[in-house]
Structure formats: C-alpha cells, structure tokens
Amino acid sequence: MLFNTTGFFAFLIIVLALYYIVPLSWKARKIMLLLASYVFYGLWNPPLILLLLISTLVDWTAGQKLAKTEDPGARKRWLLLSIFVNLGFLGFFKYGNFLMENFQMLVGLFGVSYTPPKWDILLPMGISFYTFQTMSYTIDLYFKRIQPARTFLDFALYVTFFPQLVAGPIVRSDELVPQFYEPKRATQQQFFTGLLLLTIGLFQKTVFADSVLSPVSEDIFGTGDQLLALDAWTGVLAFSGQIFFDFAGYSLCAIGIAGMLGFSLSDNFRYPYGSIGFSELWRRWHISLSSWLRDYLYIPLGGNRYSNIRTYINLMLTMLLGGLWHGAAWTFVAWGFLHGLYLAVERLLRNIVKLKADNLFIQLILAFLTFTCVNITWVFFRAKDFGAAMKLLGSMFFVHGEKALLTTNDLVLVLTLMTLVFLGHFFMRRHSLVGVLQRTPLWLLVAGWGIMIFGLMIVQTSGQQFIYFQF
Amino acid sequence: MKLKLSTFIAALCVAFALLLQYEWYFRNVERWPPGYDNNADLWAYWRGKVEKLDEKDVVIVGSSRGQFDLNIHLWDSITGRRPVMLAIPGGSPYHTVEDIVVNTDFKGLLLVSTAPGLFYSLGSGGGAAWVKAEMVDYYQKQTYAQKFSQWCYEFIDPHFAYTDPDISLKHLTERLPFPNRDSIEGGTVWPPMVRMDRYRNVRMIPEMENDTSFQNQQTRIWHHPEWKNRYKDSADVIIGHYADLARKFQERGGRVAFIRPPVTGEYLEFEPQMFPRDQYWDRLLRESGSKGYHFQDNPVSREMIPPEWSHLNRRDADIYTRLIIELLRNDQLL
C-alpha cells in the first residue's frame, strides 16, 4: 500500500480509530497494529507475507538462543543462520538474475556458452529494508549490545511496523522495541506534529517529486539522444530533486505516522544537499542506512583503526556494497564507487590541505561543489546502463550535444526549485524541521499547512510508487 | 508553538476555501464537467468483467471514437445487454484484442473501433505500447491495494471537476507563458470535451457541441501533425495480427466486427489519403473474415458532422449507436 493513495488514508483512519477510540488493552492494540501491518504489506502481494513471517520467526528464534546461550560455537551458528536466511532472501529475490547474468558472462570469457533459464522473480517490496533491520537485531544480540525483545509480539511488530516497513528508516531494535513495552498514546502536540510531517512528506512526494521533477528526469534519462548541456544538467538536477523528495518525503511520512501513534522514529535526512564534503553528506543522507553500513560493515572491516591504505579499502568496500544494496546492476556499483572515491579524496585532502571554511561564502562554494559532484553520481544511479550514463555525462560536459528537449516551463520550474532546494538545505544545515515548525508564527503555519493540503488535493498524480520501494 | 486540533482545522479550512475556488473556476469558467477519470483502474475494473460474460454480450475496444461515439446505456435499453466499454482514448486496440482473445474465454461479440492514425500502430509503436504497459499489463498486475484505492477514490472523483487528469498540476504547469526555444513544442492544453460515467460511457458536453471557441481549440490540436495521423506502421504486420486473432476468436465461437466511425474536417481529407481504403479497411475485413461498418457506406453516418472533426455529439452518437445495432442485427451478429 502506498502512502500517496486514497486507499491508504482510509486504512490510516481505520487504524487510528481502532487504536484510539475502541477500548482495547495495550496488548490487543499491538496485535491490531501487527495485523494492520500485515494487511498494509499483503494488499500488495499476499503470498509475500510469508517472507516477512519467516524472517520474523528465524530472527526471533536466533535472538532468543543468542540471549540464552554462552557457548561461542552455538552463538556463532545462530548468528550465521540469521544472516544466511536474510541474505539468502535478498540474494535470491534481488540479486538472483544479476548473479546468473554475471556468471553467464564470466563463463563466456572462457569460451563456455551457457544460457541460464530466465527467472521471472518478483522483488518483494522493501526487502532490503526489513532484512537489514532484522539482521541488525541478531548481530547486536551476538555482540551483546542490546537486550532481546521481551515478547514475540514486540519483536514481530518491530519487524513489520507499517509506517517504516517498506522504505525505512532502518530502525535499530533498541530504538523501537522498548517503545512497545509501555502503552503509547500520542499527545495532541505529537499527533498533530505527526500529521503535519505526513502532510509535508506527501507534498514533497506528490507535488515536487512526481508532478514537477519526475516527468523531466524521465524525459532526459529516457531519451537516447545527445543533448544540450543545459537540458542534460536540468534533467540530472530534476532526478537529484526527485529522489530526495521521494525518499525524504517517504521518511517524513513514516516518522509522522509513527508520531500520530505515539512512537518516535529518528530522522533519516538532514538537509543533505547543503553538505560541505561527502563525509558530511553521508551523515545527512539516508542516515539509517549509512549508519547501518558504518556499524555493521565499515567498523567490522576495521574502519580507520589500521593503516591509511586499509582505511581507504574499507571505505571503498563499504560504498561499493552500499551501491549494490540499492540495486542489482553494475551502474549502482559505479555510483557507490564514485562516492567511495569522493570520500577517499576528501580524506586525503583533509590530511594535506588545512582549509578553514568558516567564511559563509567559502562554505557556500564548497557546498555547491559537493552538490555538483553528487549530481554526477546520480547519472549512474538513474541511467539504464553505462552507455546511457556516458552519453548523458558527455552532454553535461559539452563533449557533444545538439538537441534541446525540455520546454522553457520545465527549465524554469526545475532550475528554480533546485536552486531553492540547494540554498534551503545550505541555510538549514544547523536547524531541524520540527524546530523551525515550532518557531513558525501560527498564521504562517496554518496558511502553509492549508496550502500543502490543497496541493495534495489538486496534484492528481496516479499513485506513483516511491523510488526506494524497489530497493 | 503548540500544534492542536484547532490548528489542523484552521489549515483544513484554508485548504477547502482554496479548493472551492479552484473547483468553481474549472467548473464555471473553463467548463470542465464533474465525472469519472478515464483511468487504468476503472478500465481494469471493466476488463475484469469480461471474464464473466457470455456469448450474448458485447465488448467494445478501440480508441476514443469507439468510446465517445457509442452510447452503451442506449445500447442496453435496445438490446437488453450493456456492452463492456474497453476503448481507450489515444490508444490502439492492438493489445486489448490480443488480451481478450488469448487470456479470456469470451465468446460474444467483439466490436473493434478503428481510427486509422492509432489503429495502424505496431504493438511496439506509440499508439499501442503504452496501452499494453498502462492498461493491459496493469490489469494483470493490479494489486488489492490499487483496487481498494480506486474503490475509495470513486467516492470523491465523480463529484468534482478538478480531479480530471487533464487539469492536474503537471498539466497546469504546461500553461506557464514562457516562450520555448525554436525546436521545442509546448505541451498540449486540452479543452474539456466529454463527461464519463462509471460504466466508461462517454458523452460530449454541450459546450463542445455548441461553442465554436471550444471546437476551434480542439481542432487546432487535431490540426497539428502529431495528432492528425499519428502512427502509420506496417499494414502487413498489423492486419496480420488482427486477422490471426479474429480467426482464433471465431474458431471458438466468438464474433468480430469492425467499425469506422464518422469524421469530418481534416480527418476526412487526410485519412483516406494516408490510409487508402482498399489497402487498409477492405483488406482488414477481407483477411480477418469479419464484418465491418464504414461510416461512408451508410447514408445516415455519412452525413454526420462531428463538431471537432473526430467525435460525435450526443444526438449523433445516439443515432450512430442505433445504426450500428441495426447493422449488426441485419448481419445476425447481435
């Protein structure tokens, strides 16, 4: 079920009514939330609920065993079982075809002709999110960083909690599970802040991402032609904005809906396009994934505890796998490689050049440089293959390009919006959205909220899927 | 500041105040009628009904002429059966016919409306490929969540004009007045033309029937080369495709008939030049072994004048519906 559909609103109203109006015990309300989460997921494809159930059962069992046994061998086996099942699901459903294609290519290099059967595998929505989330639970238990969930119901709800089930944030168990122990009821402030965040998130998704930016990025990335640099850059900027508004919008919706139910989820985006440098970018973009990769991949690999070379290798490996997490294609790996390269170069430069960036203008220049480099990476993320990516990059850097594609209306809208996004992110770097909302005068807040609700009513997009659902 | 219920209610009041003016403007100034969206969900709903039809039922496929020029409620009142309307504006029936013949057991009458500029588009061509992706495949993959959303949306959609996709926010941005570069064409700004009900029965609105400013706005769009005769691909492949499917359908007891609804203006001038009758229409009927009713073969339909060259007004649509029923009955197809 998608947040940006009328069906979801009916669903949410029913859930809120059952949660707040019907007099149920806390346990019954949690069971209701769990069932609602399965309905939320199952209305897309009912049989795939089985995957969620298996993941839940395996990780609950492994977690219980890890909490009780001290035998190192047994603990390792239970952890491996959890990782094997979760990565197995991910590998089969998400990377099955990719692995077969690459195997075919590899054996082809040795003159062996092998044509694998074509698998028509359906990618379960949000599988990358909930598998990472449940894996973090067993890994944390293995390292004794957390306490196990008290009941199966609490754990099952942690795995399937519908606001963040299909596109994150990837919540750690110690952040969410303890919130299930005591009855929760949102305060009026919490409920309506949640509703406001839901409105802002939906506005970002439907008005900015789907209505203004998506058609332009589709035009540019869909054409096979060589374009004028202006059109090529505008298309890439449009995608840059689209993926931000789409994903940050979803995260805001998730945080908002959880808030309406009385739960709190942490930020997933903090004005990433205003970042100065790439290490800051990754502290602001998809925070729950970057911290997951840091804690469960980069640090276990050694992090920066060993030699400089080893640190760079760890950084690059983490970003390459981070790229692959996004999609089963080498273009995503290239996207990760570029980010790894940026991070490595930034680290190298920081050791050599001692730049004092306390001047606002210099900060703005550095943020713009970062934003520009990020946009280049999005070409590989969005292009259907390397040929298309290189052609678009050629157009962006004046290697070739004759064809104009976009209307002036599109150029004006995208360039204006993305200039505002960049400046807005830059000047909001030290602020939080909720903090700003709390300081906003009442009349302005009411007008802004009303205009956003109006925007949602007139936008008339056809319930386009969130981009990150496919990851 | 503290957010309270009163804050939200005030915001809702702002939103509804804006919405009321917005609705009023589109309904009373631009004359957009309230009605159902001609969207994939509603199409999928009616496509689902085909599975349960019997041999006395009728399914209409084709493009906008098939949908706008036949009144399925009138058809129902005359024959006792309301056809299932699966014609799609701007789309060829290439994949819809294939879907019905291959994926269903339907054995009734399949009435295929032809508009040459769309009909003679290959399956992978601009007139047909999107129909497969956005309609036929959508139906096959439609989720319960999408069905549920459509069910909820139908409580709102028919009562408002502003929900028409042609005046979505995206389309409104195309009206911004910035001049384009020489090689760039702006988006198409459509005038309101029809109103559709839940059965996908479409009727022309009085403004388009009577107001020349509406008609001129529409004929200016049709005059554009992109719209006049949009697609012309291999007749061999396309006619072969329909002929194969028609034979298969007839073998299992189904009946197929083609119609070519009336046009006027530049369509009347250019369609016969681009799609000579003997090479297209006559060949289609011959190779598919099917009956066909060309508007120029009948004195009544020949004299019909669609207000904007391509679609009939309500009065003529009713006459044309009666005529098609009569012709089908004469040929014992109905």
Side-chain angles (χ1 to χ4, degrees), chain A residues 43 188-189 231 406 408 438, chain B residues 1 3 5 145 149 179-181:
Chain A
L43 281 175
Q188 205 175 160
Q189 169 78 2
D231 294 64
L406 300 174
T408 311
Q438 280 168 351
Chain B
M1 62 143 299
L3 285 175
L5 176 62
S149 276
N180 280 315
R181 291 168 286 180

Side-chain angles (χ1 to χ4, degrees), chain A residues 408-450:
Chain A
T408 311
N409 289 344
D410 285 337
L411 290 172
V412 170
L413 280 172
V414 171
L415 295 177
T416 307
L417 180 60
M418 291 314 292
T419 304
L420 291 173
V421 166
F422 169 68
L423 291 175
H425 280 211
F426 180 75
F427 289 108
M428 284 288 288
R429 288 169 69 237
R430 298 189 199 291
H431 305 280
S432 78
L433 178 62
V434 174
V436 170
L437 292 173
Q438 280 168 351
R439 289 195 298 277
T440 307
L442 181 64
W443 67 268
L444 188 58
L445 191 85
V446 166
W449 198 354

